[in-house]
Amino acid sequence: MRNVAIVGAGITHFGRRDASWKDLVVEAGKALFDDVPNLDKKDVDSFFIGAAQPERWTYQTHVAPLAAELLGLKPRRVVARTESACASGQIAIRYAWLAVASGLSDVAVVVGVEKMNTKFMNLSQTSMMNVGNREFDTAVGLTAPPYFAMVAQRHMHLYGTTEEQLALVREKAGEYGSANPYAQFQKKITKEDVLKSRVVAPPLKLFDCSGITDGAAALLITSEERAREYTDTPVWILGGIQRTMANSINEMGELSDWLSLRYLAKDVYDLFKITPEDIDIAEVHDCFTISEIVEYEELGFCKKGEGGKFIEEGQSYIGGKVAVNPSGGLLANGHPLGATGVRQAWEITMQFRGEVSEKRYVSGAELGLAHNLSGMAQFHHIMLYSIKKPKDVKFGR
Amino acid sequence: MKEIVLPDTIPLLPIVDPWEQQDAEGPDSTKVYQFYKNLSEGKLTMQRCKKCGNVFYPPQAMCKYCNSTEYEWEEIPKTGEIHAFSALLLGFPMIIENFAPFVVAVARFGDYPKNGVQIIGIMFDTDYRSLKIGDRVEWEIMRIKGPGEKVRYWYCFRKV
Ligand SMILES: CC(C)(COP(=O)(O)OP(=O)(O)OC[C@H]1O[C@@H](n2cnc3c(N)ncnc32)[C@H](O)[C@@H]1OP(=O)(O)O)[C@@H](O)C(=O)NCCC(=O)NCCS
Ligand SMILES: [Zn+2]
């Protein structure tokens, strides 16, 4: 396999944007092209766009050629739109990595985008409800907040996790998010603010939830041979894998056990010969505060059941055991489904390049992990990014 | 100037209708139509494979354990136990907003997972503060009237 690098990155402001889906694609594309002034668009041979539900939120299908044209690209190797709800963006990066690593592609553009705010916010909720087995599990009103609320309830029941511990996750997100000029919610939020915010789905309150967000991000991904044409600070994509073991409520068993993530993380550590202790930055999928707590555990940062304690002890802050979500995570950035995975890669790239505010900079970081979950946490996805060039990567048994 | 005229109202697409799948166009519209027929006759059912004996849910037209397409419909035990619950109090989806807010519960019926199911149901007229994990609930058939004269069936939970 060839070495693959992120050599450029761009992002839009996230939030309730006065911009169309196409505007967002163009804005992220322009930010990317401004970041890589040496790029000749003719060299872009592949194009991947992570977009979860453009057909529902903007009634537009077949978005890959549309977005490529908007950006002035005429890709000729691998072109795809990727969809897996909340993880759509990360999958676009994985496909670009594979295409370039295989030698089929040399220069690929990745975009992640979602336009979720429309005149019909209730229709947005309907659309998001369909990520489960719609007919039998979710169509009667099981949106994400009550589902993750039940995960939180089980975690509290089994391990004594508290609402205060959940609130700390949001307080941390606000602390770093306040130093992220692209985030949807840049206000600092205290633990007390979280505890007194409106109940959305008990025990989750407004500030325990990520938002409904418009936004996009873009990356330029090339082979090692081409990387130096565009940057002196490539970010190496070590790669990553995915895992799903169950989709319906009936197959999920104990809701607070995320077995797919537990086994996925083990496989990632084996495959890439690293340990959880090697990870300096983890951009994880904190779609709700409870998600981040379960992720500390399933990613092996702490023992099962000790996620609440982990944040209480400050282990997930910058300067702790591992800096988790120095970007502010989904809680502060908002969560435009298709854009989130690409935003995480953007964040790790900017961290490695030292181009983020001092207040959320993880100094000396060399290895970054990006995690997404999709749907009702049935499907998990991990990518690894490094400042150090990979040596002789081989996958096999 | 040429003019074209659109209808006064544009009907909502069935994509926002939670129960569009069971519109009784007959058993051919879905291979698990029997599930809906059972609901209309007062029974919430799961499938049991005739070949390997495994129970499966949600309904589907093939046993995922042994690939057999021979199965029986078995009534899910009437009473179960709450595994987790919450309530939908904010952020209502379209159509759902007509009967929200409500409690949402995941409950286990029968000897889960070998000989039973873990399913999700909504609970009406229930204060989530009056519930706890382990409470017994019953499934109950719910009649869905509308749009217009249409009548369909689903299930919900009720505390016992
Ligand atoms: C929680 C939720 C229902 C709140 O929606 P809402 O009640 O319609 O909120 P509104 O849009 O009316 O906003 C009301 C205020 O709260 C703020 N707000 C909304 N959601 C927020 C959030 N998640 N975090 C912080 N502030 C939020 C808004 O900015 C607004 O502030 P303002 O009054 O100062 O302008 C909605 O954000 C939601 O559904 N989040 C979950 C998204 C999701 O499920 N994603 C998939 C994850 S897997
Ligand atoms: Zn069988």
Side-chain angles (χ1 to χ4, degrees):
Chain A
M1 298 197 32
R2 300 202 292 177
N3 284 334
V4 181
I6 298 173
V7 299
I11 199 161
T12 71
H13 191 276
F14 278 24
R16 182 175 292 225
R17 293 291 315 274
D18 204 0
S20 72
W21 187 91
K22 288 186 273 191
D23 294 337
L24 293 168
V25 169
V26 167
E27 204 177 312
K30 175 151 178 54
L32 171 65
F33 298 142
D34 289 348
D35 192 50
V36 277
N38 287 348
L39 176 68
D40 181 344
K41 289 189 198 175
K42 283 200 295 294
D43 292 340
V44 176
D45 60 31
S46 295
F47 180 68
F48 302 89
I49 180 161
Q53 301 200 13
E55 46 282 274
R56 296 198 54 131
W57 281 313
T58 47
Y59 313 114
Q60 176 70 57
T61 65
H62 203 221
V63 295
L66 168 67
E69 181 181 280
L70 289 168
L71 299 181
L73 303 175
K74 298 183 177 183
R76 56 192 178 274
R77 288 290 187 268
V78 193
V79 182
R81 172 250 177 132
T82 55
E83 188 277 318
S84 263
C86 323
S88 303
Q90 189 193 108
I91 296 178
I93 302 172
R94 182 172 295 97
Y95 285 8
W97 163 62
L98 289 170
V100 175
S102 76
L104 194 58
S105 163
D106 288 323
V107 181
V109 165
V110 168
V111 171
V113 56
E114 213 72 50
K115 169 78 192 171
M116 298 171 73
N117 286 286
T118 67
K119 262 186 283 200
F120 304 102
M121 291 310 286
N122 51 358
L123 189 57
S124 296
Q125 293 288 354
T126 301
S127 301
M128 273 189 293
M129 193 170 67
N130 295 336
V131 301
N133 182 329
R134 161 179 152 71
E135 186 181 1
F136 297 107
D137 280 347
T138 52
V140 292
L142 185 61
T143 54
Y147 186 80
F148 286 87
M150 289 190 283
V151 173
Q153 186 193 40
R154 290 298 307 173
H155 208 274
M156 291 170 169
H157 179 69
L158 292 176
Y159 308 114
T161 304
T162 63
E163 295 186 38
E164 284 77 11
Q165 290 170 333
L166 299 192
L168 282 177
V169 173
R170 184 62 180 87
E171 190 178 88
K172 170 169 75 64
E175 189 177 323
Y176 301 142
S178 68
N180 182 346
Y182 298 101
Q184 178 171 17
F185 305 115
Q186 293 178 27
K187 235 174 77 186
K188 281 196 184 164
I189 305 280
T190 65
K191 186 173 95 177
E192 287 67 35
D193 293 335
V194 183
L195 294 173
K196 22 178 236 280
S197 61
R198 281 180 299 158
V199 179
V200 174
L204 300 182
K205 295 163 281 296
L206 181 68
F207 290 133
D208 285 300
C209 306
S210 59
I212 306 283
T213 314
D214 310 328
L219 305 170
L220 186 66
I221 290 177
T222 72
S223 62
E224 179 176 357
E225 292 73 27
R226 303 295 295 270
R228 299 288 168 191
E229 290 176 32
Y230 307 109
T231 184
D232 297 327
T233 49
V235 169
W236 302 100
I237 303 181
L238 300 187
I241 53 175
Q242 303 161 267
R243 185 147 185 165
T244 178
M245 295 168 66
N247 188 65
S248 62
I249 303 287
N250 188 35
E251 295 288 324
M252 301 288 281
E254 167 58 54
L255 299 188
S256 62
D257 274 340
W258 290 0
L259 296 180
S260 302
L261 179 56
R262 192 176 306 169
Y263 299 142
L264 168 64
K266 282 208 181 86
D267 283 351
V268 166
Y269 300 143
D270 285 352
L271 207 53
F272 294 92
K273 300 182 182 65
I274 58 167
T275 67
E277 288 72 39
D278 296 329
I279 297 160
D280 303 306
I281 300 177
E283 279 287 314
V284 305
H285 203 95
D286 55 336
C287 48
F288 297 93
T289 47
I290 182 62
S291 312
E292 185 169 312
I293 294 215
V294 177
E295 286 150 10
Y296 297 151
E297 301 168 358
E298 306 295 11
L299 287 168
F301 297 154
C302 64
K303 286 211 206 73
K304 187 69 202 170
E306 296 185 355
K309 208 171 100 206
F310 192 72
I311 179 138
E312 223 165 50
E313 290 171 350
Q315 305 283 17
S316 53
Y317 286 74
I318 297 171
K321 214 168 157 189
V322 49
V324 180
N325 289 331
S327 65
L330 285 60
L331 288 166
N333 280 275
H335 178 28
L337 308 186
T340 287
V342 183
R343 178 196 57 73
Q344 293 171 328
W346 175 91
E347 170 71 19
I348 292 171
T349 301
M350 293 303 151
Q351 285 278 353
F352 286 167
R353 281 167 36 173
E355 291 175 27
V356 300
S357 151
E358 192 94 353
K359 294 193 192 102
R360 64 189 183 88
Y361 179 54
V362 186
S363 84
E366 295 188 340
L367 181 63
L369 173 146
H371 158 264
N372 294 111
L373 64 80
S374 48
M376 306 294 175
Q378 302 112 327
F379 189 10
H380 292 267
H381 319 252
I382 290 178
M383 287 297 282
L384 295 175
Y385 304 102
S386 174
I387 209 164
K388 286 203 268 190
K389 192 163 80 179
K391 281 193 291 270
D392 194 26
V393 180
K394 279 194 202 78
F395 299 118
R397 321 259 136 207
Chain B
M1 193 194 292
K2 176 75 186 149
E3 184 183 77
I4 57 167
V5 179
L6 299 184
D8 285 344
T9 57
I10 299 180
L12 275 178
L13 295 171
I15 54 166
V16 299
D17 178 350
W19 296 283
E20 98 297 347
Q21 204 75 30
Q22 58 171 302
D23 274 349
E25 263 112 60
D28 293 340
S29 60
T30 163
K31 285 194 178 172
V32 293
Y33 183 75
Q34 188 65 39
F35 174 80
Y36 293 112
K37 189 148 181 298
N38 294 343
L39 278 180
S40 74
E41 291 166 2
K43 284 192 297 223
L44 175 62
T45 50
M46 58 191 182
Q47 288 155 289
R48 186 182 295 278
C49 177
K50 280 188 179 171
K51 199 168 151 213
C52 73
N54 277 306
V55 159
F56 52 100
Y57 189 94
Q60 57 175 64
M62 180 193 83
C63 168
K64 64 188 167 223
Y65 301 100
C66 76
N67 307 338
S68 166
T69 51
E70 301 288 312
Y71 43 78
E72 288 166 325
W73 295 91
E74 207 172 284
E75 187 166 317
I76 292 175
K78 190 77 191 169
T79 334
E81 202 180 285
I82 293 185
H83 172 70
F85 63 91
S86 180
L88 183 66
L89 304 181
L90 257 184
F92 305 140
M94 201 175 260
I95 308 295
I96 307 294
E97 62 207 354
N98 290 283
F99 51 88
F102 46 73
V103 164
V104 183
V106 167
R108 294 174 171 186
F109 295 83
D111 183 16
Y112 176 79
K114 261 290 111 329
N115 258 309
V117 291
Q118 171 171 285
I119 54 177
I120 178 119
I122 56 187
M123 299 176 75
F124 297 100
D125 313 313
T126 309
D127 183 347
Y128 68 87
R129 283 164 295 204
S130 73
L131 293 175
K132 60 183 190 312
I133 289 175
D135 278 353
R136 310 285 291 164
V137 289
E138 260 177 13
W139 56 259
E140 166 181 40
I141 301 294
M142 132 181 142
R143 191 164 180 267
I144 304 147
K145 200 164 166 317
E149 292 308 301
K150 213 176 253 187
V151 174
R152 295 172 294 180
Y153 299 89
W154 195 249
Y155 70 89
C156 56
F157 294 158
R158 180 178 57 195
K159 198 175 162 185
V160 290

